[in-house]
Each structure stands twice: as C-alpha cells, then as structure tokens.
Amino acid sequence: MALGHVAGDLVLASGNAGKLRELSAMLQPLGWNLRSQAEWRLAAAVEDGETFVENALKKARHACRHTGLPALADDSGLVVDALNGAPGIRSARYAGDQADDAANNLRLLQALDGVPEARRSAHFYCAMVLLRHAGDAAPLVATGAWHGRILTRAQGTQGFGYDPLFWVPEQDCASAELEPSVKNRISHRGRALQSLLSQLQPAAN
C-alpha cells in the first residue's frame, strides 16, 4: 500500500488526545484522516524497548495488526541533562505507571529542586514511525529534537505533558504558552513529521 497525497484513514498508535489533536492538525490538509486506536478499544502496546525508535515500532505494528490500517506512531519524551537523560523513554510514566501530567511535572520539579538555571538544559525528542501494513519490513522512520530548559514553575495552559515547564528560548515563553500552530511547526513532533513527510514525496510522484 503506497502512501502519498492520497486521502485515507491512518490510525494513530496512541490514545493520547493531545497527540491526536496536534498530528491531526498537521495531516488533515494533506487529506489524511487520522484516527485514534481508541476507536477500536485497543489496549496499549507493551513499550519495553530501550530506545524511542524501538517503542515507536512496537506501537505502530501493534496498531496495524489489530486495525488493518496503515499506522503512525511516535515515541517521544523529555531528556534533561542534569538528570542524566531522565525521564527519557519513561517520560509518560515518570511518576508511576498510572501517573498523569500533573504528577509527572511535580516529580520533575522535585528532581530539579535547587538546580540553577544554567544547568536546567533539556530537549524534547521524538521518534516517529509509519507502517503501511503489519508486515511492513521497511518502515519509514524519522526523528526530531526541540531544545530548551526546564522552568522552576509551570507557565501557560496550552499543550500537554511537560509543556508548562519547558522554556522555548527562541519564542521567549513556555511551550504551554505557544499558539498550537506555532508549536506544531517548531516542536520535536512537528519536525519529525516534516521529516517523515519528506520521505513520502517520491511515493506521491
């Protein structure tokens, strides 16, 4: 199954409403109808990989196999230098397997308590995978990074996850204070998706 500019359904291998909202906004103009795997009441894939790419592949293949549709998956997280890369691949579960955004943000603030601004550098990282079908042996893989630092208190109400604590130097504000269209253009997820789309161009010609 080729994917290019042809309109069609694409399953997002995630039940995260924030990811669905952001990626749908970026893909809809191309004619793709992004659907959450939650529509199939699909349980989350086991994310036991040691890298973002491994986990993204696991999630995409799981969604393809159970829905019969091409699948888009991303595995992303926050990498904090002063914490030796934590929370990393455990970003969504930093405060525990059932943790919500508030709990994860609180734990991050506690882990960085007393760390000066100069040592609070961090970046968001995203590995994105597109599988055409469950047996696709040549998945499309792209990555993106977004550099900034961690604030000492939350700012803004947009976005999700660690956005209220992530300072974006070039915008002079927190990620959670950005307009969605701006964030989609400059974020780790937006950069990974643009890289992925550039790989699809030959298939559309």
Side-chain angles (χ1 to χ4, degrees):
M1 180 184 296
L3 289 171
H5 294 307
V6 179
D9 287 349
L10 184 65
V11 62
L12 176 63
S14 172
N16 185 306
K19 286 186 180 183
L20 180 66
R21 183 171 59 251
E22 288 186 359
L23 289 167
S24 290
M26 291 184 269
L27 288 169
Q28 191 172 29
L30 300 178
W32 292 357
N33 178 36
L34 190 62
R35 301 169 62 184
S36 169
Q37 69 178 23
E39 290 186 36
W40 288 264
R41 300 180 183 275
L42 186 59
V46 177
E47 298 179 44
D48 56 1
E50 296 184 4
T51 67
F52 291 107
V53 171
E54 287 178 275
N55 283 333
L57 280 166
K58 286 175 179 287
K59 290 191 282 189
R61 206 168 299 282
H62 178 72
C64 270
R65 185 174 294 119
H66 291 280
T67 67
L69 291 174
L72 179 71
D74 90 286
D75 198 54
S76 52
L78 181 67
V79 179
V80 180
D81 296 322
L83 300 179
N84 295 317
I89 61 172
R90 288 196 55 82
S91 290
R93 305 176 298 283
Y94 190 40
D97 288 343
Q98 304 303 317
D100 60 10
D101 290 348
N104 287 329
N105 278 283
L106 177 59
R107 183 177 179 194
L108 179 62
L109 287 175
Q110 292 171 338
L112 289 173
D113 185 36
V115 175
E117 179 179 320
R119 296 186 54 238
R120 298 174 78 94
S121 58
H123 68 275
F124 278 118
Y125 182 86
C126 174
M128 191 169 289
V129 169
L130 192 149
L131 287 180
R132 300 163 183 86
H133 51 82
D136 192 349
L140 297 182
V141 179
T143 62
W146 192 22
H147 293 268
R149 63 177 170 83
I150 305 302
L151 295 165
T152 56
R153 60 179 178 82
Q155 293 183 200
T157 59
Q158 302 277 5
F160 63 99
Y162 297 96
D163 284 343
L165 294 178
F166 187 74
W167 182 258
V168 185
E170 64 267 28
Q171 297 293 322
D172 197 32
C173 68
S175 175
E177 295 176 297
L178 292 172
E179 287 298 320
S181 60
V182 175
K183 182 188 175 188
N184 290 347
R185 186 179 72 251
I186 67 175
S187 75
H188 54 307
R189 192 169 290 112
R191 294 175 186 185
L193 182 60
Q194 288 304 314
S195 176
L196 194 73
L197 292 175
S198 71
Q199 296 181 52
L200 285 169
Q201 294 310 308
N205 297 329

